[in-house]
Amino acid sequence: MSNESRRAVVTGTSSGIGRAVAERLLADGWQVTGLDRAPAAITHSAFTHVAADLTDALATERAAATLGAPDALVHAAGVLRVGELGRGNAAEAELMWSLHVGAASRLAEVLGPAMAEAGHGRIVLIGSRVAQGKAGRAQYAATKAALVALARSWAAELVARGVTVNVVSPAATQTAMIDDPARATATPVLPPIGRLIRPDEIASLVAYLLSPAAAAITGQEIQICGGASLNR
């Protein structure tokens, strides 16, 4: 199957990793449907924008029902809220759980079976190295760790039906999230390579995982850490 006939659904395409993934896939010849609450940030003949608030369960389910059977789902939409134990904000925790875990689950519940029925498909969830645990980011870490558990479970269910499921977990990445005032007290730590990870580097790995060459890779969490895990 040529890339021109393949369609990917990508969340969070208005900025950051989601936008980088969508732009890489478009450059590779894919048709891309972007799910985002924000207005479309990409203008391309092969790009379709679907407005959806992915923190809204009903809105997400309705959007998923319109997507048919894509060849790939990349869940990149994300938000970071920080807070030490005893100073947590329940609304912010709910926001992260809804966007990271709830939206992934609702989309996969619809698109995963459709891919399996078609006999092929790829699901990639964007996680984080913070899933290993980090002070002040317990709720964020928990949501990203949950994505790994979901991916491994879905991979086990779908492995015999031509669908792979993986997680790409970057270290601190150069996106607008870095400058979010909500994390003003949590300066990102540069990995040993001496710079932040670039969104296009993450997009390159995602593109590979969506390719036929990656058909034997499933149920894995792959880190792009710039050497941050070397002392583990």
Side-chain angles (χ1 to χ4, degrees):
M1 182 184 296
S2 68
N3 281 351
E4 289 76 8
S5 62
R6 302 179 81 193
R7 182 168 62 90
V9 172
V10 183
T11 68
T13 54
S14 65
S15 64
I17 295 171
R19 179 170 181 172
V21 168
E23 291 177 336
R24 169 59 188 266
L25 295 180
L26 289 167
D28 288 349
W30 285 70
Q31 300 283 324
V32 176
T33 300
L35 267 60
D36 208 302
R37 180 172 61 182
I42 297 173
T43 301
H44 192 287
S45 60
F47 179 78
T48 302
H49 176 258
V50 175
D53 181 353
L54 297 176
T55 66
D56 183 317
L58 184 56
T60 303
E61 291 168 359
R62 285 175 174 169
T66 70
L67 298 174
D71 300 285
L73 166 65
V74 181
H75 183 43
V79 65
L80 171 63
R81 296 292 183 264
V82 300
E84 296 178 354
L85 191 64
R87 299 180 181 178
N89 183 304
E92 292 183 343
E94 178 60 29
L95 170 65
M96 290 187 287
W97 278 95
S98 294
L99 183 56
H100 300 163
V101 184
S105 296
R106 293 181 184 100
L107 292 169
E109 282 287 340
V110 175
L111 304 184
M115 292 178 188
E117 183 67 24
H120 61 85
R122 301 282 189 270
I123 298 174
V124 175
L125 309 177
I126 302 300
S128 171
R129 280 203 74 249
V130 176
Q132 304 294 319
K134 187 168 185 177
R137 303 188 192 178
Q139 292 297 322
Y140 179 81
T143 66
K144 293 300 188 176
L147 291 182
V148 177
L150 287 175
R152 289 182 60 81
S153 299
W154 293 339
E157 293 181 29
L158 298 171
V159 64
R161 305 186 68 184
V163 180
T164 67
V165 190
N166 293 289
V167 178
V168 171
S169 293
T173 303
Q174 186 62 62
T175 68
M177 189 182 290
I178 292 292
D179 302 318
D180 190 334
R183 63 170 295 168
T185 60
T187 304
V189 177
L190 292 181
I193 58 172
R195 63 169 176 82
L196 299 174
I197 307 302
R198 300 195 312 268
D200 66 283
E201 293 172 319
I202 300 166
S204 292
L205 177 54
V206 171
Y208 173 72
L209 290 173
L210 302 191
S211 73
I217 302 173
T218 194
Q220 303 303 306
E221 181 192 14
I222 304 172
Q223 296 190 4
I224 301 182
C225 67
S229 63
L230 288 175
N231 293 327
R232 189 171 59 187

